[in-house]
Amino acid sequence: MAKNLINWLIIVAILLTFFNNIGIDSHTQILSYSQFVQELHKNKIRNIIIDGYFINGQHKDGSIFKTIRPTIEDPSLIDDLLNHNVSIEGREPNKTSIWSKLLISSFPILIIIAVLLFFMRQMQINVGGKGGPIIFGKSKAKVILKDQIKITFRDVAGCDEAKSEVEDLVDFLKNIKKFKKLGGKIPKGVLMIGPPGTGKTLLAKAIAGEAKVPFFTISGSEFVEMFVGVGASRVRDMFIQAKKQSPCIIFIDEIDAVGRTRGSSLGGGGHDEREQTLNQLLVEMDGFESNKGTIVIAATNRPDVLDKALLRPGRFDRKVNVTLPDIVGRENILNLHLRKIPLSDDVEPKIIALGTPGCSGAELANIVNEAAILAAKRKLNLVSMNELEKAKDKLIMGNEIRSMVMSEKEKRNTAYHEAGHAIIGLLIPEHDPIYKVTIIPRAQALGVTMFLPKIDRYCYSRKQLISKICSLFGGRVAEEITQGVNGVTTGASNDIKCATELAHQMVYKWGFSSEMGPIMYDEYKLNNQINNKKFLISIKTYEKLDKEIIKLIEECYLISYSIIVNNIEKLDLMAEALFHYETINFKQIKKIMQGKFPKKYI
């Protein structure tokens, strides 16, 4: 198809150049040379212009004609013209070849064709270093040979459960006969599911590195092209190459780009092409022919959009959940990355792990890298705990905005606001321990109070949620007590938003309302509403739910008010320390709670 296209382009270009060169238009009559001679002898021609082979002329009736003479060296022509009183104008005959003229005039178009050929050449797939034909259907999978993969399970941390699930794949690839004796079959596919940055790709590489087998890697989006049938052809070609190097691993990253549920869109074009590609992938994984020794590992963070036929046993036999690491996992990940940089003796990975709940492996690696960059900027020889703390705060709380200059009044008000959060968090029961308070502006906040959970929590009691709402109102209450009702600022807007959303969830979703009972109202809607909610609810019930939310928020606000009023001296002392130092840590906070003005530790 591509060759035919180029041939037609060349033919059209030459014809256009030729006719443009002889100057044909809709008003020009084309005469053969014999016709031209006959009309010359009949005295029908008024004047002519001779230009090499081309003769442009005008009849006595005003019409224009054009002809080509067979040879330039024709002396009798000039004599005939003179005998018939024909005016000869223009250039002298030259001996330039017509093909030379065509070549010169078509030179720009030939350059365009050469550029087209160059780009078409770039689209071909080279096999074994030799240029092949222009083919779009070749697989774009990158092949990593078994000797090139240096990553093993020792380089993967924080996902021990996921590693244990894939270890038998390595055993199977290393010793296939042991499993075949008992009738065991190798899983055809392993689907890794998890949030971004949890190490799905790294774990797949570790499997290939442990098993010492070739590793084919490709993204799901690389299958689908604008040409119909290209994606399916690439899938076939990839599995053909994989069979030649069996046993091996095919890793498809972001498989949701090609594996979405079929028929989920009414559009055509690329959508139809994606479905054809998916159909071919389904056939290759579990069709009429078997793929012996070829394991397909795919990764996605959107398993809900994948086609059911792709998820059934026989295609993706196993689903491995690669979750966010817990405290132990985060500490192991940090140790893995910290061993690559020079460290001072004060570094405690466990403290960093405690302060990074919900962080992925990629984010922890970024913390270590940011700490190393910060140490290099300060011209230090070792990375200390201070640099790691700065890098962690940058990731979690945002960059410090030192250029923002606050007035003394605004700075003091911010100090009281953050001190209010800290006092409530310290004194209310079942709240996470406080770790650091700062009034240095970061991202969108003028100050930040950071709490450090002792363990990762996966569920919360009603008492713990009440404590969280109370600590969120601590800043607003501290402003109201110290500045008066008219002195309250907008600094608590985000705190109020979070507290309201939490109270709404407690009443609507978790059944923590004393009046409405353990019913999840989150799936209900009013009779006159049009939305995706499943059930109906009356206006009276909605009014009761709203009253419960307001009652819960008022209760928490009063608890916070009472705690701040009873500890006003500690609030003043902490606010003064924050105004003086701008940032205080848990050691300084401990001194403040003992009634002492702290020394600067950081």
Side-chain angles (χ1 to χ4, degrees), residues 390 397 400-407 411-412 414-415 418-419 436-442 446-449 574-585 588 597-598 600 602:
K390 293 280 187 183
M397 297 188 292
E400 293 183 353
I401 307 176
R402 292 281 183 178
S403 59
M404 183 183 291
V405 180
M406 291 190 291
S407 65
K411 185 177 179 182
R412 191 172 294 279
T414 304
E418 299 303 328
K436 184 183 291 186
V437 186
T438 179
I439 59 170
I440 298 173
R442 290 177 179 270
L446 295 177
V448 178
T449 302
M574 188 174 294
E576 190 63 32
L578 278 170
F579 185 83
H580 188 68
Y581 294 133
E582 292 187 335
T583 300
I584 56 177
N585 62 14
Q588 294 169 305
F597 192 83
K600 188 173 182 180
I602 55 176

Side-chain angles (χ1 to χ4, degrees), residues 430-540:
E430 296 196 35
H431 198 280
D432 292 332
I434 193 168
Y435 175 64
K436 184 183 291 186
V437 186
T438 179
I439 59 170
I440 298 173
R442 290 177 179 270
Q444 302 299 320
L446 295 177
V448 178
T449 302
M450 186 177 176
F451 297 96
L452 192 68
K454 293 181 180 179
I455 57 172
D456 289 340
R457 286 179 176 167
Y458 304 101
C459 59
Y460 292 85
S461 66
R462 188 180 189 277
K463 192 173 185 180
Q464 289 168 338
L465 293 172
I466 291 290
S467 297
K468 190 171 181 65
I469 295 175
C470 289
S471 69
L472 285 168
F473 282 128
R476 173 64 176 258
V477 170
E479 286 187 31
E480 185 178 333
I481 291 173
T482 57
Q483 307 295 327
V485 176
N486 294 326
V488 173
T489 67
T490 59
S493 60
N494 189 62
D495 298 329
I496 294 171
K497 177 185 175 183
C498 293
T500 306
E501 288 177 351
L502 196 55
H504 183 277
Q505 294 280 70
M506 290 177 67
V507 173
Y508 272 76
K509 190 173 182 179
W510 298 323
F512 285 150
S513 168
S514 57
E515 293 285 336
M516 305 305 293
I519 301 174
M520 188 177 73
Y521 295 94
D522 202 41
E523 296 295 322
Y524 286 77
K525 66 178 180 180
L526 282 170
N527 291 326
N528 58 351
Q529 284 183 329
I530 301 174
N531 53 30
N532 294 326
K533 302 288 176 114
K534 297 178 182 178
F535 309 108
L536 299 178
I537 191 173
S538 66
I539 294 178
K540 288 185 179 180

Side-chain angles (χ1 to χ4, degrees), residues 282 286-287 307-317 319:
L282 295 174
D286 187 24
D307 195 275
K308 292 181 179 179
L310 196 62
L311 299 176
R312 72 161 176 82
R315 292 202 172 104
F316 283 107
D317 303 280
K319 298 174 184 63

Side-chain angles (χ1 to χ4, degrees), residues 57 64 175 183 250 325 355 403 406 417 449 472 475 477 559 571:
I64 299 170
N175 191 359
I250 296 175
S403 59
M406 291 190 291
H417 181 102
T449 302
L472 285 168
V477 170
I559 293 172
L571 178 73

Side-chain angles (χ1 to χ4, degrees), residues 207-275:
I207 295 170
E210 289 282 346
K212 298 295 182 185
V213 295
F215 186 79
F216 291 76
T217 176
I218 191 170
S219 170
S221 60
E222 292 184 75
F223 286 115
V224 182
E225 288 280 0
M226 62 181 289
F227 303 103
V228 177
V230 171
S233 176
R234 286 178 178 172
V235 171
R236 286 192 298 270
D237 186 69
M238 181 179 67
F239 276 89
I240 288 171
Q241 292 182 40
K243 287 175 186 178
K244 292 177 181 178
Q245 301 197 44
S246 180
C248 65
I249 291 173
I250 296 175
F251 178 64
I252 305 174
D253 200 7
E254 304 297 344
I255 194 173
D256 50 275
V258 70
R260 287 174 178 266
T261 302
R262 290 167 292 180
S264 58
S265 173
L266 298 177
H271 175 71
D272 294 336
E273 167 64 5
R274 181 185 59 75
E275 289 195 0

Side-chain angles (χ1 to χ4, degrees), residues 86-147:
V86 175
S87 173
I88 304 175
E89 302 176 5
R91 296 168 291 277
E92 289 294 327
N94 61 66
K95 296 185 179 182
T96 305
S97 167
I98 188 172
W99 299 110
S100 300
K101 291 174 67 66
L102 283 174
L103 181 62
I104 293 169
S105 61
S106 62
F107 185 71
I109 297 180
L110 291 175
I111 290 178
I112 294 172
I113 293 172
V115 171
L116 285 173
L117 286 170
F118 173 77
F119 281 108
M120 295 289 283
R121 180 73 177 175
Q122 295 303 307
M123 297 175 71
Q124 71 181 6
I125 303 296
N126 291 330
V127 181
K130 299 178 180 179
I134 299 174
I135 298 174
F136 297 97
K138 284 286 185 180
S139 170
K140 288 189 175 183
K142 298 176 183 178
V143 184
I144 304 174
L145 300 178
K146 58 184 179 182
D147 298 329

Side-chain angles (χ1 to χ4, degrees), residues 358-428:
C359 287
S360 65
E363 290 171 324
L364 294 171
N366 189 46
I367 288 175
V368 175
N369 184 60
E370 287 288 341
I373 292 172
L374 184 59
K377 283 183 179 179
R378 295 178 176 178
K379 298 181 180 180
L380 302 175
N381 295 323
L382 299 173
V383 177
S384 67
M385 191 67 177
N386 185 39
E387 282 73 50
L388 287 167
E389 287 283 356
K390 293 280 187 183
K392 182 197 69 176
D393 292 346
K394 181 179 178 181
L395 174 72
I396 296 175
M397 297 188 292
N399 289 322
E400 293 183 353
I401 307 176
R402 292 281 183 178
S403 59
M404 183 183 291
V405 180
M406 291 190 291
S407 65
E408 182 176 336
K409 181 179 179 181
E410 193 172 19
K411 185 177 179 182
R412 191 172 294 279
N413 187 69
T414 304
Y416 271 103
H417 181 102
E418 299 303 328
H421 285 308
I423 294 292
I424 300 295
L426 285 165
L427 299 178
I428 201 162

